[in-house]
Amino acid sequence: MTDPHLTAYDAPAGARAMVLLLHGGKPHSRQPIDGRSASWRRALWLQRSIAARSHEAGVGVWLLRYRHRGWTGGANPTDDARWALDRLREAHGDLPVVLLGHSMGARVAVHVADDPSVVGVVGLAPWWSADDPVATLAGRALRAAHGRRDRITSFRETSRYVDRARTVAASVELHDLGGLGHYMLVGSREWHDVALSSVLEVIAAQVPPAGR
């Protein structure tokens, strides 16, 4: 079995906040993940695309690669995410963290958002359902972006989850990306822009300016 793996792009002059990027997967799979994984490689593209602009804002970007592809069937990806959050704390102390997840990664994010370092979640084409918790988002910010041509995850289910989260989250917003689909290939620049703007919005709302 492979170990979880982190790809770190730290802000050169030191960070005021961090992003932990969580890639997608499958509902059921015991298949180990390596560097050939399409879901992980898509997230790596996103990480590289937003890193420079994130660094300008004093934000580092780390990407987690899980041990197994599936939500069920192998090592639980939420365990891997909590492992990654511990590694972030070891490296950067108590810096605030925004979880940025695509598809299954967004599901992982809301399950581990109760971690004390986490100040918010950004979900891209998220896989959320009535089975997923919102209590983990108490006092935290939630942002979501979803296209209506998504045939893998449901814009309607995302809307329902967002409505539930409004009862506990500090702030909530859903970006309707219209005709875009699931894999963030078509309209990649729009996906990358909304990912970064949402992350920075969460940080601005949840993290006090330096010196305060």
Side-chain angles (χ1 to χ4, degrees):
M1 182 175 67
T2 59
D3 293 326
H5 178 271
L6 286 163
T7 303
Y9 287 3
D10 289 329
R16 60 185 288 257
M18 298 295 297
V19 173
L20 179 60
L21 181 51
L22 304 168
H23 64 82
K26 292 183 175 294
H28 311 286
S29 176
R30 295 183 59 86
Q31 182 177 351
I33 295 178
D34 58 23
R36 295 170 292 181
S37 162
S39 296
W40 177 77
R41 290 174 69 87
R42 180 62 188 88
L44 183 65
W45 177 19
L46 173 58
Q47 181 191 32
R48 289 172 173 168
S49 296
I50 68 173
R53 289 179 291 166
S54 297
H55 290 172
E56 290 173 2
V59 179
V61 187
W62 284 24
L63 167 63
L64 169 65
R65 190 175 74 210
Y66 319 120
R67 286 171 286 176
H68 285 109
R69 179 176 292 187
W71 176 255
T72 62
N76 194 311
T78 61
D79 293 338
D80 294 341
R82 293 193 186 277
W83 170 87
L85 287 162
D86 287 342
R87 302 294 80 74
L88 266 171
R89 268 188 293 274
E90 289 176 2
H92 292 286
D94 293 327
L95 283 182
V97 177
V98 178
L99 301 175
L100 171 59
H102 172 236
S103 191
M104 187 185 79
R107 188 175 212 188
V108 174
V110 298
H111 280 257
V112 303
D114 57 352
D115 182 276
S117 295
V118 173
V119 296
V121 169
V122 176
L124 307 175
W127 173 25
W128 291 331
S129 73
D131 296 328
D132 295 311
V134 295
T136 53
L137 295 167
R140 296 161 172 87
L142 177 67
R143 300 292 183 270
H146 214 141
R148 292 178 179 266
R149 289 191 179 179
D150 195 324
R151 298 295 180 263
I152 306 300
T153 58
S154 166
F155 182 94
R156 182 174 295 179
E157 287 297 329
T158 294
S159 299
R160 289 172 177 164
Y161 182 86
V162 164
D163 286 343
R164 286 200 293 128
R166 292 185 197 280
T167 63
V168 297
S171 64
V172 176
E173 188 171 341
L174 171 59
H175 297 276
D176 184 344
L177 296 189
L180 295 184
H182 185 73
Y183 293 106
M184 305 194 303
L185 300 174
V186 175
S188 59
R189 178 173 295 181
E190 188 172 356
W191 281 111
H192 296 173
D193 286 348
V194 76
L196 180 61
S197 64
S198 297
V199 163
L200 297 181
E201 191 178 281
V202 168
I203 292 170
Q206 296 290 101
V207 180
R212 287 183 58 184

